[in-house]
Structures are given as C-alpha cells and as structure tokens.
Amino acid sequence: MLKQRKFVVPFTVLIVLLPLLQAMPALAFKPYTHNFTGDQAWLDVTSDGKVTIEGRDYAVDSRVVTALQNYRSYYNAGVVGPDGFPDLTYGQSIIHPENTGQWLSYIYTEAWKAQSDSYYTAAEKQQILAFTYGYLTHAAGDMWAHTLVNQFATGVFPAVSEVLTDVDKAEIAIRHIILEGYIGDATPGFDGNPDRGPAPSGDVSDDSTPGVSFDAPHRFIYRTLIDPNAATPSSDRGPIIGFFLGLRNTLAAEVSNDPQPLQDALDAYNDTKESFDDLADDCNFDGATDILHDLVACPLGLLELGFDVVVDSAEAFANLVTGALAALADEVYDAYLNAWIQDIDTGLQHWSELGLASTRALFDPQAYRNTQNDECQFEGAESSQNRINCENGVGQLDVILHEADPFINTYLLSMLGAPDFVGGLRELLQEFSADLAALGVPFNPIEEVLAEIKEFATEMLKDLIEEAYGIDVDQLKSFLTSPTHWLNVTSTTLTLPDVGSVTLDLFQPDDHEQLDAILGLTGDHHVPVTIPGIGASSRLTDDAEFSPVEFAAYRNVVTTAKLLLLSGAELNRVLGDLLAADGTIPGSNLVATYPAVDANGFATNIMIQPLTGSPWLKSIDSDHSWRTDGLPIFCDQGLGLRRVPGLDPTERPASLNGGTGQFPIWESCLLRPAFRGCTSTGRTARSSSPTWVICRRATRATRPRRSAA
C-alpha cells in the first residue's frame, strides 16, 4: 500500500495571480505621477552631483550620485516602491498601511550594509542604492499626495473587504480612484486621450504616454524582504508569499527520511520494475517443469536484485513485486515533494521578477504597446481596421500575462506543483492523485498538463476579477479611464456584492473647481467627448497639465525627494539657509537638528530620522504625517475629533495615524517656519521661500452620515 498522507492547505489560484490586478485603488499618485516627480529629483542630482533648493546647491554623497547616474531604471522601480515590490499584495498590505517608517529605515540600513557585503557585485551595490533611494521617494510622494486625496475623498482608502459591505467605505474608495485618475491625467506627458495616434518607439496606439524603464536588484530584495529568515519589521510576507511559505512547511512535514534526487528515485523505480518484468517468466511457477526451474531461478534472480527471500508461487512473487514497487514509489513521491519544495524556494528567490513584471505591465506604457504589437502583429498595418480592432481589444490582463509569462513558465507553474514530466513521472504519480488532491489545490498538478494548468489559472483570474474588486469591472474601468466625467457626478448607482444596488454619493458641486485650482489648471482645459455607456461628457484637453509651481503637493514631493538625497550636514545647511534668509535666525550655521549618522551608523536621512524613538513616519496611506501630534484630521484617538470645520470625517483607529509626532522639522519651533505658503482658504500662497507648501482643503459642506441601519 502507498502511504496515506493528510494535507490541509487552503489554496486558490486567485491568491497567486489576481492581486496583480489590484494596483489601482490604493494609490495616492498614479505610478506615472510618482515617476514624474522622481524624475525631477533625478535630473537635478545627476546633472552635477547636487540638488538645487530655493536657488542654492547642496552636495549629494558621490556614491549615491554614481548609483543614480548609472542605474536610472532601478531608481524608477524604487519610486514605484511597495506598489510593485516585492509584490503588490506585500507592499499594499504590509509596508504601505502601518509602520512605513520602520520599513524604510530597515531597507535603507540594509542597502548601506550591502555596500560592504562581498555577496554583492560592484554593479549590484549601485543598483541597490538607486532602488532604495527611489523607495524612499515613493513614500515622500504618498505622504504628501494622500493628505490631499484623503481630504477630497473624505477618508483613507479602505480595505477591499470594507468596500464590499459598507456603503460609506465604497464611496471613499471610488472617490480615491477618480481623484487619483484625474491627477494622473493632468500629469505632464500623460496621454488620457483614448484616440489612436503616434506613440514613442514608432508605434501607433491609443496610449502615447512615454515609456518608463524598470529594473530591480532581485538578490537584494530576496535577502532583505522575502527570505523568511530576514529580520524585517514584520514576519508577515503578505498573502501570496505567505501562502507559498505555508505550503512549503506543509510539504516539508510530509516528506519522510532524506529524499534522493527526483530523477534518481524515478530511475530506481523504473529499473527495478524493468528487472521484475524480465524476471516474470522465471517466477510464474507454471507447469511441473517450470516449477522446478523457477524454484531455483526465481530466488537467484531476486537475490541479484537484492531480495534475499524464498518465493515459491506466482502469488508470492506478485506480492513481493507490489510491495517493493510501492516502497520505491513512496521514495519517488518523497522526492517529488522535495523537488516541489525546492521549486518553491527557487521561485521565492526570483519572486521579485514577478513584481518587476507586474510593475512593467501596470506602470510602463511601452509594455502595453509591446503587448499590442505582439498580439496583433499579423493583423495588418497599423492603419488597418483589423489591426485597430485587435489592439483596442488588448486589456490590462493581457499585458500582465504578457509580461509575467516568463516567470509563470519558469517558476510559478513549478511552485504550484506542476512536475517536469521526466521519464515516467507523470504516469507513476497518477497513483498519488488522491494524496495530492488532499492538498486543497483546485486542480491536480499531476493530472493536468502544463497548458491546462495555465489556462485554468487564467480563466479563474478572469472570472474572479469582479469579486475581488467588489464592483462591476466595466464600471470600475469607467472610473479609471473617465475621471473627468465622474468628478462632476454627485451620486451614482452601483451594485455591491454583499449589499446589492445602492446609491453612492460622490462629489460636491464645487469639488472639481477646487481641485482644478489646487492643480493650477486654468482657462478652458476640458473638451466635450462621447463616452461609451455614458454619453455626452468631457475630458481634459491633450495639453492640460497641472502647474509645477501652483500644485503644492507636487512641489512638496519634489522638494522632499531632493532632501532625502542629502546627508545630515547638508540638511542642516538647507534649513539654516532658509531660516537665515527670511530672518528667523541670525545665522545659517545655527541649525544642528540632523546628526551626521543615524542610530545604525549610516548617514542620517530626512525620511527616517526622528527627534527620539522610532522613525517619525507611520503610514503613507494616512495624512498629515508631519504634524506635531501625528493625528490626521480623520482620526479619533479619544482626544476629540481633529477635523476641518464643517467636514464630517470618517473616524478610524489611532493605529492609522500618519506619524509619531517626532518629525524634527515640524516639532522645532525654529524649523517649523520652513513649512509655509498656505492661507486659511486652502489656496496656495506664494512666499519668498516656499520650501514646503502644505495645502489644506477649504471648508466644505458636511456630508450627511448614514445611520448604522
């Protein structure tokens, strides 16, 4: 008999691939806007090794400058940050919402440790620095952008589970999607016009947004963020990696003894079976003459095979063969499970390649155009209707699968237990189908061929998108692709899976105007369009772009992206120069807020260094993280609501406070004047030294709260 094994591992293919589609909802800036802001810091520092702030130049560590100059694509990937790496679900569920500062400090420290680690090549060390400073830049972007978007959306982006069951949370989520889409559409260079036209690289496409190159330091990401033994701020690796780690542990617990290599175990089984087949004529004990022959020949033949037993009947021989082959089959099964474990280990070591693939698919417009070209290259010239129809049919899922296909084929299928089908493995392992079925896998990796497994995953992915998002896919796409239209909508009807058809409040009549004022969009910057399924509406004109001068949140991000490149001494110089210039302090050399090195012995960084205790930044999903007490306006910590007068906030746990209250610049009575430039009306006011411009919303009418019923 074969071993009877019990497995209890809950699993669906959905947990592996579907989360890659969930990049859109929880972003404060769209990825293209993130990369656009990072570009400004990159262009500044790589031109001369310095960053310019308020007309003065400040030197950046030459190692950082060299890394950024040589490996821009790694910096770009870092700027995508936890929206892409190590993977979307890890970043969004673990790094984004809480203790972000601790994660930044950890990654920053590990990056500088890597500079003296012989494990990495000289090129990898530079790539790691470029990626890490990009990662800090992503946090700087969300820190400022969420403060703006959260106030218009009247809350922090909720968990998907809350969106499905709570009408108020669904409203907040949809406002986020629309607001972020509108700001993204207004980002210089972004093409929000769905019409086909010339695009970079000689393409013709409905998206002419410039491509963004991405690369990632995979070995560093594995050792720092994925390896279960890494000393990360949390042992949680997110739902996808966590699943595979759990599956690995379960498989390891079921493996007996010390398995031999799979091919060796399979060869031993096949060789023994072949030898038994050859010996069958000497062990059939059929006829008087044969019995005498077989009584001698059969034991001798078995002895040569290593079986020192007496066999005197065909039944005894059959029982021996069955038992021996069953034992060898168990060894094959153990070897297969052990190979599966090794495939999981190998896949996790390369896991950030999937993060890179999804990043390219979701955030690099050229990846979309490449998919269009590959899928439709045989449909005629770019101008032919067949080619146009084909390229118009390429969706986000197609791009993701196109970019992720190498990882899926090389690693993911094997991580899901698909065998390599060497020799007679597939046929042999059919005997273990019942054991494998107990794993809880929705398909049997032995019974299905690779193509069927992949097709199964893809079809399930398509079927469950609506369930994962909680709303109709077509309407979700409309929110993403037609933000101008929805910004003018006060309410809409939507079907939520757990609630049914509901009416959602979206925006107030003056929201669009106020947002345009903050973005610096003036004049006639909308054009009438007809939107399928909606009808007459409008979108931003092709030349409508937010003002880099007037858009306060953007200016804040760019300034912070430059400041985080500076060491403690240069940070003190910046602050001293600013405050001396406007007479707040008598001399620029009086500021000594930032020490030369941090608690870990590496250069101080503005995104991490607190006055005391842990890093000052807690959550980049929250808002007002720089504040004196760290309490954002939507939070109730038992001290009374902090709110904009007239705004009806959504309370949330104190665990989602944006900061710890230890940001040195805000907490210092001398340094706080560096934050300047907003009037009480929320409109940005120009000052002689607008290093940061905190832009608050103007008071708005209170939204009616729904009762608990």
Side-chain angles (χ1 to χ4, degrees):
M1 292 293 291
L2 302 180
K3 298 176 189 174
Q4 295 301 309
R5 304 166 185 262
K6 299 294 184 182
F7 295 89
V8 181
V9 182
F11 177 81
T12 64
V13 177
L14 171 66
I15 203 172
V16 179
L17 292 177
L18 181 58
L20 298 181
L21 292 178
Q22 294 180 305
M24 300 302 179
L27 312 178
F29 275 159
K30 290 300 181 192
Y32 184 80
T33 309
H34 268 298
N35 283 114
F36 180 77
T37 57
D39 284 346
Q40 312 315 305
W42 185 89
L43 290 168
D44 189 3
V45 69
T46 56
S47 63
D48 59 2
K50 302 174 183 178
V51 291
T52 302
I53 299 174
E54 297 305 310
R56 303 179 186 89
D57 290 337
Y58 301 91
V60 176
D61 187 311
S62 60
R63 292 169 294 179
V64 177
V65 175
T66 300
L68 296 178
Q69 288 173 333
N70 291 342
Y71 294 103
R72 184 175 187 177
S73 60
Y74 290 80
Y75 176 73
N76 290 341
V79 173
V80 171
D83 293 344
F85 300 96
D87 67 58
L88 273 169
T89 59
Y90 187 159
Q92 289 288 330
S93 64
I94 307 300
I95 299 175
H96 240 277
E98 287 190 64
N99 301 317
T100 309
Q102 292 184 26
W103 283 96
L104 296 182
S105 178
Y106 167 71
I107 295 170
Y108 180 80
T109 299
E110 293 302 308
W112 279 107
K113 285 182 181 178
Q115 302 310 301
S116 58
D117 189 341
S118 60
Y119 176 79
Y120 299 109
T121 66
E124 284 180 307
K125 292 175 182 179
Q126 293 185 25
Q127 293 161 3
I128 290 166
L129 279 184
F131 177 83
T132 298
Y133 277 90
Y135 217 89
L136 299 182
T137 301
H138 178 92
D142 274 358
M143 177 182 80
W144 295 108
H146 269 129
T147 298
L148 171 66
V149 173
N150 286 348
Q151 292 188 55
F152 270 100
T154 68
V156 173
F157 195 95
V160 173
S161 59
E162 295 177 313
V163 175
L164 303 182
T165 58
D166 188 312
V167 175
D168 287 328
K169 297 297 176 61
E171 290 176 342
I172 292 171
I174 292 170
R175 292 187 203 116
H176 268 265
I177 294 171
I178 296 167
L179 289 163
E180 294 154 10
Y182 189 77
I183 296 172
D185 197 358
T187 302
F190 184 84
D191 176 23
N193 185 342
D195 295 338
R196 284 174 62 85
S201 302
D203 290 318
V204 176
S205 175
D206 55 338
D207 187 353
S208 64
T209 307
V212 183
S213 60
F214 296 110
D215 282 300
H218 298 298
R219 296 206 302 165
F220 173 76
I221 293 175
Y222 173 75
R223 291 185 82 193
T224 304
L225 295 170
I226 299 174
D227 186 343
N229 297 315
T232 48
S234 167
S235 61
D236 196 337
R237 296 292 185 265
I240 309 180
I241 295 175
F243 160 74
F244 280 115
L245 291 175
L247 175 59
R248 185 199 187 284
N249 292 338
T250 301
L251 295 173
E254 295 299 320
V255 175
S256 302
N257 304 317
D258 184 15
Q260 57 186 311
L262 179 57
Q263 187 62 62
D264 290 351
L266 183 61
D267 288 344
Y269 177 91
N270 290 331
D271 290 346
T272 302
K273 185 177 184 300
E274 183 178 348
S275 296
F276 278 137
D277 290 342
D278 292 340
L279 196 58
D281 288 342
D282 289 336
C283 297
N284 61 17
F285 300 93
D286 184 18
T289 303
D290 287 343
I291 289 176
L292 293 175
H293 171 271
D294 291 354
L295 284 173
V296 175
C298 186
L300 289 176
L302 291 173
L303 188 61
E304 290 181 9
L305 295 180
F307 297 96
D308 187 8
V309 296
V310 176
V311 173
D312 56 6
S313 68
E315 181 180 3
F317 178 73
N319 289 338
L320 174 64
V321 171
T322 298
L325 291 181
L328 290 173
D330 276 335
E331 292 188 20
V332 173
Y333 191 53
D334 276 342
Y336 167 62
L337 295 182
N338 191 57
W340 191 347
I341 291 169
Q342 293 174 1
D343 285 337
I344 291 175
D345 290 343
T346 301
L348 290 177
Q349 291 168 8
H350 292 265
W351 188 258
S352 59
E353 293 177 22
L354 182 60
L356 179 59
S358 64
T359 294
R360 287 172 172 163
L362 293 166
F363 310 146
D364 177 11
Q366 189 58 48
Y368 170 65
R369 293 189 287 268
N370 291 343
T371 305
Q372 288 180 317
N373 291 336
D374 288 349
E375 294 289 331
C376 306
Q377 59 183 313
F378 301 114
E379 297 297 328
E382 293 277 13
S383 58
S384 72
Q385 194 60 50
N386 284 346
R387 179 68 174 260
I388 293 172
N389 293 341
C390 178
E391 293 198 353
N392 287 343
V394 172
Q396 193 72 74
L397 177 61
D398 300 305
V399 185
I400 290 175
L401 293 176
H402 181 270
E403 289 294 322
D405 202 56
F407 181 87
I408 293 172
N409 291 333
T410 306
Y411 302 110
L412 186 56
L413 293 176
S414 296
M415 294 175 75
L416 293 174
D420 298 325
F421 303 122
V422 292
L425 177 61
R426 185 171 185 270
E427 179 180 353
L428 172 60
L429 291 182
Q430 292 285 358
E431 301 177 39
F432 295 95
S433 290
D435 293 336
L436 290 173
L439 282 168
V441 180
F443 59 88
N444 191 314
I446 301 305
E447 293 181 346
E448 306 289 346
V449 299
L450 292 178
E452 291 170 340
I453 294 174
K454 189 172 181 180
E455 180 66 19
F456 183 94
T458 302
E459 290 304 314
M460 178 172 281
L461 190 64
K462 294 176 180 177
D463 292 343
L464 294 178
I465 293 174
E466 289 187 12
E467 179 180 340
Y469 276 118
I471 60 177
D472 178 80
V473 173
D474 290 335
Q475 190 150 9
L476 173 63
K477 181 179 179 180
S478 178
F479 293 146
L480 291 169
T481 58
S482 304
T484 301
H485 169 82
W486 291 103
L487 195 57
N488 296 320
V489 175
T490 57
S491 65
T492 189
T493 300
L494 195 68
T495 299
L496 301 179
D498 296 338
V499 179
S501 181
V502 296
T503 298
L504 303 182
D505 295 330
L506 293 183
F507 297 100
Q508 297 191 34
D510 66 338
D511 280 349
H512 193 161
E513 180 183 359
Q514 288 200 40
L515 183 57
D516 281 353
I518 289 172
L519 295 175
L521 293 172
T522 60
D524 187 7
H525 54 273
H526 293 97
V527 61
V529 294
T530 299
I531 301 175
I534 292 176
S537 186
S538 65
R539 63 168 175 80
L540 289 176
T541 59
D542 292 345
D543 59 354
E545 299 177 348
F546 65 66
S547 167
V549 174
E550 298 298 327
F551 186 17
Y554 163 81
R555 292 168 58 199
N556 293 345
V557 175
V558 173
T559 298
T560 309
K562 294 181 180 182
L563 291 173
L564 65 83
L565 297 173
L566 299 176
S567 63
E570 290 297 273
L571 285 173
N572 291 334
R573 279 191 59 214
V574 173
L575 297 169
D577 288 344
L578 289 171
L579 299 180
D582 67 5
T584 302
I585 59 177
S588 61
N589 62 343
L590 297 179
V591 175
T593 299
Y594 288 97
V597 296
D598 61 18
N600 297 304
F602 298 109
T604 297
N605 192 280
I606 195 172
M607 292 298 297
I608 297 166
Q609 182 68 30
L611 285 174
T612 60
S614 59
W616 58 269
L617 178 62
K618 285 192 65 178
S619 171
I620 53 176
D621 283 347
S622 191
D623 45 68
H624 294 88
S625 52
W626 61 86
R627 292 270 294 267
T628 304
D629 51 18
L631 294 180
I633 61 172
F634 302 115
C635 188
D636 183 358
Q637 199 179 27
L639 302 176
L641 284 175
R642 302 192 173 232
R643 62 178 72 186
V644 174
L647 175 65
D648 187 12
T650 299
E651 297 91 348
R652 66 176 184 268
S655 62
L656 291 184
N657 285 346
T660 66
Q662 292 294 313
F663 185 38
I665 296 175
W666 180 264
E667 288 301 295
S668 167
C669 61
L670 288 180
L671 298 180
R672 193 181 300 179
F675 286 82
R676 68 189 74 215
C678 266
T679 68
S680 59
T681 64
R683 296 289 188 261
T684 302
R686 298 296 305 279
S687 74
S688 60
S689 185
T691 304
W692 288 280
V693 185
I694 311 304
C695 194
R696 293 188 178 184
R697 293 290 318 285
T699 301
R700 61 191 295 170
T702 302
R703 296 185 187 278
R705 297 299 300 277
R706 291 183 174 82
S707 66

